[in-house]
Amino acid sequence: MTVLAVSNEALNRQFEYITEVQRLLKDRYGEEAPKAFTHTYGCQGNVADGERIDGLLEQMGYEFTKDPSEADLILFNTCAVREHAEERVYGNVGRLKKFKETNPGLIIALCGCMVQQEHVAKRLKSNFPYVDLVFGTHVQYKVPELLYRCLSSGERVFDLTADDNDIAEGLATRRNHPFKAFLPISYGCNNFCTFCVVPHVRGRERSRTYEDIMTDARALVADGYKEIMLLGQNVNSFGNDFGEEELFPKLLRDINDLPGDFLIRFMTSHPKDCSRALLDAMADCEKVERHLHLPVQSGNSEVLHRMNRHYDREKYLETIHYAREVMPDLSITSDIIVGFPGETHEQFLDTISLVREVGYSALYTFLYSPRVGTPGAKMPNPVTPSEKQQWFEELQFAQEQVASARSAETLGKTYRVLVESRNKAGRLCGRNSGNTMIEFDGPDELIGNFVHVTITEPLTWILKGELTERV
Ligand code: SAH
Ligand code: SF4
């Protein structure tokens, strides 16, 4: 078994740099702690990375602010999955120029998937001279060293090293949420779906060790976390890189066996690796929520083949049927791409029929966005954007019908809900086991606790209910 870990020496060097940066910041800012504004775009994996970068910044002496105009360090942790995400980052970086003008000591840093791409780093280098620090996904653990170089030399630092030996254990994490925690179990992806940039910017799939994950899970439970979300680009192929099969179902069972009142979620599952053993484990584990996010991308087998997804419509539906057989109350959600190169309207209609057949509780729908370096970007793409937009709306309409029919069935049902917060309507809200948002009235003290809520008014995207005694 090879663990692609950062060596102890390399990690210790970073601990030394933490002390060095603390000293530099003291020299620069005196006793008043410098302020950092950090923002993460994109998926939960990126959010988890952002929490670790925040942990390192905190250790180095930064305090956090929500106001970029008063920040001494502004860091954007970026996403590359679609062009829209990248354009937003360019726009937001452009707006930082004025802060640099009023505060020349400000450090502007960009990291994450988008900047791991060479053409992006080049553009930042030439068109955004006020960006000081750019680093990719593989060197996040080196933030102390990179920041030290920036602060001590005053020069721009770019590090796009792409070395998969980058699993760094034992670093501080500054969690965004007081009782819900992300627990990454693997990084990278080996699947090379032809539309997707992730394997190109995140590198090959590499799992953390079983023991490291269990240690983290135990610590989270001991710290009172009520929800643990296991994360991986392809969470259910965890351990395959160690040559072990079906390690993910075992991990679910072992975390489920930890004593304590908490629940377990995981994402993202790839349909090709969604085995019966995994579904059986879900069904057996009372702490694993009844929600499966199983991105199908398309309902047409020919399109799926060209997407390099390694399953077809029939195989996907077989998995869904087995999942519902062992968990009749399972809620299933999915990602779908509309307008993959070469997709015809007839093929797209297969997606609509699949959406109706599966009966998803929710869908994340995306218009295809060509990504540099992926095979999809070189495929003929004759359908016009306005036609694709029309298909997109057809899909949304179909899903709205499916979702409202599903939510109508919840009327009068009682769910266990982890109370998350008070929403804009001033009501408490939280998710049921199937990950559907429920809102209801109640006191603030319930936030962070489990309650039972009976549905009184099911709307399409949210369920309204009332607190109730356990049934
Ligand atoms: N690893 C996860 C998700 C990766 S990205 C998985 O395999 O499911 C999240 C979603 O973004 C994908 O499921 C896909 O639906 C969408 N996506 C990825 N690349 C895209 C692209 N080039 N254009 C449009 N949507 C894309
Ligand atoms: Fe991208 Fe496919 Fe890997 Fe998901 S499984 S990250 S969509 S290449």
Side-chain angles (χ1 to χ4, degrees):
M1 178 175 111
T2 332
V3 180
L4 293 168
V6 177
S7 70
N8 281 340
E9 294 88 301
L11 269 185
N12 285 336
R13 255 199 315 280
Q14 295 310 312
F15 293 130
E16 285 162 21
Y17 277 114
I18 287 177
T19 317
E20 289 301 310
V21 174
Q22 283 169 348
R23 191 179 52 75
L24 285 179
L25 292 178
K26 275 253 153 66
D27 288 351
R28 221 187 233 218
Y29 299 102
E31 284 314 307
E32 198 175 330
K35 292 190 172 63
F37 171 91
T38 60
H39 181 75
T40 290
Y41 300 78
C43 67
Q44 286 97 333
N46 230 25
V47 175
D49 284 349
E51 291 184 337
R52 270 178 307 174
I53 292 170
D54 284 355
L56 287 167
L57 293 176
E58 192 168 47
Q59 271 191 322
M60 286 183 275
Y62 283 94
E63 280 178 0
F64 292 84
T65 175
K66 291 195 162 63
D67 176 2
S69 73
E70 62 164 27
D72 302 293
L73 169 79
I74 296 180
L75 178 138
F76 288 158
N77 182 23
T78 62
C79 168
V81 159
R82 283 169 294 277
E83 191 181 355
H84 178 68
E86 297 196 344
E87 288 310 322
R88 264 177 58 209
V89 170
Y90 282 127
N92 289 341
V93 174
R95 279 188 275 283
L96 298 182
K97 193 173 174 199
K98 61 175 188 288
F99 297 129
K100 189 81 168 193
E101 282 160 5
T102 51
N103 176 10
L106 169 67
I107 290 187
I108 297 178
L110 291 175
C111 63
C113 291
M114 172 179 166
V115 307
Q116 183 73 53
Q117 304 170 98
E118 293 236 346
H119 68 278
V120 172
K122 244 190 206 153
R123 182 165 162 194
L124 289 169
K125 213 171 226 168
S126 56
N127 297 5
F128 297 84
Y130 48 91
V131 171
D132 305 284
L133 172 58
V134 173
F135 57 97
T137 55
H138 299 267
V139 290
Q140 283 164 358
Y141 73 94
K142 278 194 188 168
V143 170
E145 175 180 349
L146 300 172
L147 202 54
Y148 173 81
R149 280 167 50 198
C150 235
L151 285 163
S152 61
S153 72
E155 283 170 12
R156 307 177 79 193
V157 174
F158 281 64
D159 191 340
L160 264 61
T161 309
D163 180 356
D164 282 351
N165 284 283
D166 63 353
I167 297 187
E169 299 294 351
L171 298 182
T173 299
R174 185 177 187 270
R175 296 190 185 278
N176 294 334
H177 204 283
F179 50 86
K180 288 169 47 160
F182 291 130
L183 176 45
I185 65 168
S186 64
Y187 304 100
C189 180
N190 286 348
N191 291 325
F192 288 96
C193 302
T194 51
F195 51 81
C196 186
V197 78
V198 171
H200 305 266
V201 291
R202 288 265 167 192
R204 293 298 60 71
E205 184 172 84
R206 45 217 187 271
S207 302
R208 296 179 63 203
T209 70
Y210 206 86
E211 293 68 32
D212 283 329
I213 297 166
M214 286 306 294
T215 304
D216 279 2
R218 276 188 212 99
L220 289 171
V221 176
D223 287 345
Y225 283 91
K226 295 281 166 47
E227 178 181 309
I228 298 178
M229 167 81 88
L230 305 174
L231 290 180
Q233 284 303 333
N234 184 357
V235 77
N236 42 9
S237 64
F238 164 71
N240 290 6
D241 50 330
F242 301 153
E244 295 219 31
E245 303 239 321
E246 304 294 8
L247 207 54
F248 185 60
K250 176 172 158 39
L251 183 69
L252 276 187
R253 289 178 190 277
D254 284 347
I255 298 179
N256 185 71
D257 285 345
L258 296 176
D261 192 13
F262 65 97
L263 49 90
I264 305 165
R265 298 185 187 274
F266 58 90
M267 91 174 357
T268 299
S269 303
H270 192 297
K272 81 176 164 57
D273 298 304
C274 188
S275 64
R276 290 189 170 210
L278 166 58
L279 298 168
D280 291 341
M282 275 183 89
D284 290 345
C285 292
E286 74 288 353
K287 289 175 188 152
V288 175
E289 292 291 65
R290 292 290 181 265
H291 172 221
L292 181 63
H293 184 62
L294 199 62
V296 68
Q297 313 299 354
S298 163
N300 177 271
S301 296
E302 158 65 21
V303 173
L304 287 170
H305 179 68
R306 287 192 302 106
M307 286 176 163
N308 196 33
R309 292 290 288 181
H310 295 280
Y311 56 87
D312 58 16
R313 179 188 174 100
E314 286 64 39
K315 171 88 187 3
Y316 183 86
L317 286 173
E318 213 178 281
T319 305
I320 297 290
H321 290 144
Y322 185 75
R324 287 243 161 87
E325 195 181 308
V326 292
M327 291 171 282
D329 54 345
L330 183 68
S331 148
I332 302 171
T333 57
S334 195
D335 295 347
I336 287 181
I337 296 180
V338 174
F340 182 72
E343 185 180 28
T344 63
H345 189 246
E346 211 181 345
Q347 289 171 329
F348 165 73
L349 290 178
D350 285 343
T351 298
I352 300 260
S353 78
L354 181 120
V355 164
R356 294 193 189 282
E357 188 167 344
V358 174
Y360 292 113
S361 328
L363 267 191
Y364 299 87
T365 47
F366 308 106
L367 278 168
Y368 170 72
S369 167
R371 305 284 66 213
V372 173
T374 61
K378 296 192 198 87
M379 294 178 186
N381 192 4
V383 178
T384 63
S386 70
E387 265 179 287
K388 289 187 184 184
Q389 182 61 34
Q390 209 177 318
W391 301 1
F392 189 77
E393 284 161 24
E394 277 179 58
L395 177 60
Q396 284 187 322
F397 177 72
Q399 177 54 25
E400 215 168 294
Q401 289 183 321
V402 169
S404 59
R406 283 193 72 84
S407 74
E409 289 168 11
T410 65
L411 184 65
K413 288 195 176 151
T414 299
Y415 295 100
R416 187 171 186 250
V417 173
L418 173 59
V419 188
E420 286 184 22
S421 59
R422 204 168 273 291
N423 66 12
K424 283 194 187 122
R427 307 187 79 195
L428 293 180
C429 60
R431 289 165 195 280
N432 66 3
S433 180
N435 209 36
T436 303
M437 192 53 98
I438 302 183
E439 67 167 43
F440 48 95
D441 289 324
D444 279 351
E445 300 85 84
L446 294 180
I447 294 174
N449 291 294
F450 291 104
V451 297
H452 284 82
V453 180
T454 301
I455 305 307
T456 52
E457 193 186 349
L459 304 180
T460 307
W461 307 121
I462 193 168
L463 306 176
K464 297 188 175 190
E466 282 172 3
L467 278 174
T468 183
E469 292 297 313
R470 194 189 191 112
V471 282

